[in-house]
Amino acid sequence: MFTFKPDFTTGIIGFGAFGQLIANHLAPHTRLKLCDPAHDVMQLANGQNFANTAIGEIAKCDFIILAVPVDQIRPTCQALNPHLLPGSTVIDVGSVKLEPLQIMQAELPDFTPIVGTHPLFGPQSAKDGIENLQIAICPTHGPHHRLIATFVKRLFKLRPIQISAADHDKEAATVQGLTHLIATVLIEMDLPETRIKTASFDLLNQAINMVRDDAPCVLAAIEQANPYAAEIRDTFFTTANRIRQRLQPDPLLVGNNTSENGPCTTIP
Amino acid sequence: MFTFKPDFTTGIIGFGAFGQLIANHLAPHTRLKLCDPAHDVMQLANGQNFANTAIGEIAKCDFIILAVPVDQIRPTCQALNPHLLPGSTVIDVGSVKLEPLQIMQAELPDFTPIVGTHPLFGPQSAKDGIENLQIAICPTHGPHHRLIATFVKRLFKLRPIQISAADHDKEAATVQGLTHLIATVLIEMDLPETRIKTASFDLLNQAINMVRDDAPCVLAAIEQANPYAAEIRDTFFTTANRIRQRLQPDPLLVGNNTSENGPCTTIP
């Protein structure tokens, strides 16, 4: 059974929106180091300041979390590789899992345990706390994924879902792919404010607002790095176009008040 | 100032899902008569049974509510017309307002006050009560729309929104048109159950489930009888297709890990 050293260190690479979210939650539980060349000083919500730590120092942490865009995982692993020593675990938090895990396995030393995770929340959905939210954890060789699952369950009351990287990406193509696709369309339509509202439209807007401020690389990861996303997207567009055809008024039927869409009450 | 006669009568024509919802809420407040040739006996949630009342009898009620599909409003008005007497008000509850109001004005006697309403809820969104939900009320000549607004506000704590029929239809094309369009696409995709969930996908599903069981004529009214719906739908599809193009991986860029979608943190 794994236990945590009392003074274990965690290095987070990337201080974007998600890196900050992780840093804020982890800070009370670990000796934290942050690496993001875009910042000289990184400030947490509690006011704590962190200097930028060099990648060689981050490599010596017990846990190294890659909070970088999916397309930056390879260069980040290449930069970490020469500095890694046995005993460090590398964890990613990307919105897809097949590609990051393949890259980490290819680019990191054989002695480095790897865990693929996908916290199923973002700055918006986590703003009232992360308790009971899900984190997908994809097992690789070795028992380290169980350590991470126990850790997030005990400390943050997250709900870890153990799932293969392929199954994760298949499901995420629906869950995230469709939501972000629809949100992107509606945001780009720049809908006017309306006086009349319905419960379902309010829910739709709440869904959109959850992902509205996601960084563009999040959409890129979800829609492009996920190998199943294109298929779900194609099904969405094919279905949408079929419905579009069905809804176009047939010019031959203009003036004919009979609904083609029965059964609805016919009166009198 | 209008007041209600202590024993005022209300006739509801149409005992579909929405007619039933109205009947259940009105029954305690009025002498109710129901007309729907599809039913010999109509039972309310409180167990009360109603025989089918002939249209000639319904025409004598103080208030006559047309809870029929939009394409049935004309024949219903034509059937009512010869029986109507001064003193009765005719109210519709359709999801569009321009077309039903035009038809009612054309087909009902000049002495009959007409009020166009659109209760902005359905069986799903009303299942925990209708308090604080909206009802759009479109004024025509005369003060009768104010009477209806006062009535639904006092008795049901609904929030009446006074709005012109044209403005209603413009806004409904977005609020209802888009929601039902997206819901129809997702329902027709028959998405598999997933183990992983996100808050935004849950909200999207809640929105869909609100309209999932709406009768086909509701979609027809919202998408086809609303003169502004086709334009919103076209904008949706044009925007969606533009985003689709943008998301297709460009074969010339395969193997190039640079995101086109910056700015995202670049490490190291």
Side-chain angles (χ1 to χ4, degrees):
Chain A
M1 181 64 190
F2 278 90
T3 51
F4 291 97
K5 299 190 294 185
D7 251 0
F8 74 94
T9 51
T10 305
I12 299 177
I13 306 181
F15 198 65
F18 203 77
Q20 293 175 41
L21 181 66
I22 304 172
N24 282 321
H25 282 95
L26 277 174
H29 304 292
T30 182
R31 285 176 56 203
L32 196 61
K33 296 181 183 190
L34 302 180
C35 167
D36 190 331
H39 302 269
D40 288 332
V41 178
M42 289 163 268
Q43 189 170 61
L44 300 194
N46 65 9
Q48 211 181 342
N49 284 314
F50 289 79
N52 183 38
T53 301
I55 200 107
E57 281 302 302
I58 292 285
K60 293 177 189 155
C61 290
D62 297 302
F63 298 99
I64 299 154
I65 300 176
L66 312 182
V68 299
V70 171
D71 64 9
Q72 295 299 313
I73 286 182
R74 190 182 304 277
T76 305
C77 288
Q78 288 168 342
L80 272 173
N81 183 311
H83 307 285
L84 283 166
L85 299 168
S88 295
T89 300
V90 175
I91 302 155
D92 91 308
V93 293
S95 301
V96 286
K97 294 274 58 75
L98 277 171
E99 186 180 322
L101 280 169
Q102 280 159 0
I103 293 172
M104 289 193 286
Q105 273 160 352
E107 301 290 350
L108 295 174
D110 287 342
F111 59 73
T112 301
I114 292 162
V115 182
T117 78
H118 179 197
L120 288 151
F121 47 86
Q124 276 307 307
S125 44
K127 72 174 193 296
D128 298 323
I130 58 174
E131 222 170 274
N132 285 320
L133 297 178
Q134 286 188 341
I135 179 170
I137 297 186
C138 303
T140 45
H141 52 82
H144 292 77
H145 63 276
R146 283 194 217 112
L147 176 73
I148 304 299
T150 304
F151 182 84
V152 296
K153 196 170 170 179
R154 290 205 189 145
L155 262 65
F156 302 127
K157 295 196 170 56
L158 287 176
R159 290 191 293 135
I161 307 288
Q162 187 177 312
I163 189 168
S164 73
D167 283 351
H168 168 278
D169 284 7
K170 267 179 215 164
E171 295 199 357
T174 296
V175 171
Q176 294 200 289
L178 278 180
T179 310
H180 277 75
L181 182 63
I182 291 166
T184 305
V185 175
L186 296 183
I187 289 166
E188 209 155 303
M189 284 177 76
D190 196 16
L191 301 171
E193 190 64 30
T194 59
R195 294 170 60 203
I196 67 173
K197 322 255 180 205
T198 60
S200 50
F201 189 63
D202 285 349
L203 288 165
L204 191 61
N205 272 314
Q206 286 175 44
I208 294 166
N209 288 335
M210 287 250 166
V211 300
R212 183 183 285 277
D213 297 321
D214 282 355
C217 57
V218 174
L219 182 68
I222 288 170
E223 298 292 352
Q224 296 179 313
N226 185 324
Y228 303 98
E231 190 187 326
I232 291 280
R233 212 157 57 223
D234 285 348
T235 309
F236 177 85
F237 285 113
T238 308
T239 312
N241 281 321
R242 190 167 63 235
I243 289 162
R244 183 186 204 182
Q245 294 303 318
R246 205 189 303 154
L247 290 173
Q248 296 309 329
D250 183 335
L252 294 175
L253 290 174
V254 168
N256 174 350
N257 272 324
T258 307
S259 165
E260 300 168 36
N261 296 303
C264 286
T265 309
T266 300
I267 303 290
Chain B
M1 180 65 189
F2 278 89
T3 52
F4 291 98
K5 298 189 295 185
D7 250 2
F8 74 94
T9 50
T10 305
I12 300 176
I13 307 181
F15 198 66
F18 203 76
Q20 293 175 40
L21 181 65
I22 303 173
N24 282 322
H25 281 95
L26 278 175
H29 304 291
T30 183
R31 285 176 53 204
L32 196 62
K33 296 181 182 192
L34 303 180
C35 167
D36 191 330
H39 303 270
D40 288 331
V41 178
M42 289 163 268
Q43 188 170 62
L44 299 194
N46 65 8
Q48 210 180 342
N49 284 315
F50 289 79
N52 183 39
T53 301
I55 199 107
E57 281 302 304
I58 292 285
K60 294 177 187 154
C61 290
D62 297 303
F63 297 99
I64 299 155
I65 300 176
L66 313 181
V68 301
V70 171
D71 63 9
Q72 295 299 313
I73 286 182
R74 189 183 303 277
T76 304
C77 288
Q78 288 168 342
L80 271 173
N81 185 312
H83 307 286
L84 283 167
L85 298 169
S88 294
T89 300
V90 176
I91 302 154
D92 90 306
V93 293
S95 301
V96 286
K97 294 275 56 76
L98 277 171
E99 187 180 322
L101 279 169
Q102 280 160 359
I103 294 172
M104 289 192 287
Q105 272 158 353
E107 301 290 350
L108 295 175
D110 286 342
F111 59 73
T112 301
I114 292 162
V115 182
T117 78
H118 179 197
L120 288 150
F121 47 85
Q124 276 307 307
S125 43
K127 71 174 195 294
D128 298 323
I130 59 175
E131 222 170 275
N132 286 320
L133 298 179
Q134 285 187 342
I135 179 169
I137 297 186
C138 303
T140 45
H141 52 82
H144 292 78
H145 63 275
R146 284 195 217 109
L147 176 73
I148 305 299
T150 305
F151 182 84
V152 297
K153 196 170 169 179
R154 288 205 190 145
L155 262 66
F156 302 128
K157 295 195 170 60
L158 287 176
R159 289 192 293 134
I161 307 290
Q162 187 177 312
I163 188 168
S164 74
D167 284 351
H168 169 278
D169 284 8
K170 266 180 216 163
E171 295 199 358
T174 296
V175 171
Q176 295 200 288
L178 279 180
T179 310
H180 278 75
L181 182 63
I182 292 166
T184 305
V185 175
L186 296 183
I187 289 166
E188 208 156 302
M189 285 177 76
D190 195 18
L191 300 171
E193 191 63 30
T194 58
R195 295 171 59 203
I196 68 172
K197 323 256 181 207
T198 61
S200 50
F201 189 64
D202 285 348
L203 288 165
L204 192 60
N205 273 314
Q206 285 174 45
I208 295 166
N209 288 334
M210 287 249 165
V211 301
R212 182 184 286 276
D213 297 322
D214 282 354
C217 57
V218 174
L219 183 68
I222 289 170
E223 297 293 352
Q224 296 178 313
N226 186 325
Y228 304 98
E231 190 186 325
I232 291 281
R233 211 156 59 222
D234 284 349
T235 309
F236 177 84
F237 285 112
T238 308
T239 312
N241 280 321
R242 190 168 63 235
I243 288 162
R244 184 187 204 182
Q245 294 303 318
R246 205 189 303 153
L247 289 173
Q248 297 308 329
D250 183 335
L252 294 175
L253 290 174
V254 167
N256 175 350
N257 271 324
T258 307
S259 165
E260 299 167 38
N261 296 303
C264 286
T265 310
T266 300
I267 304 290

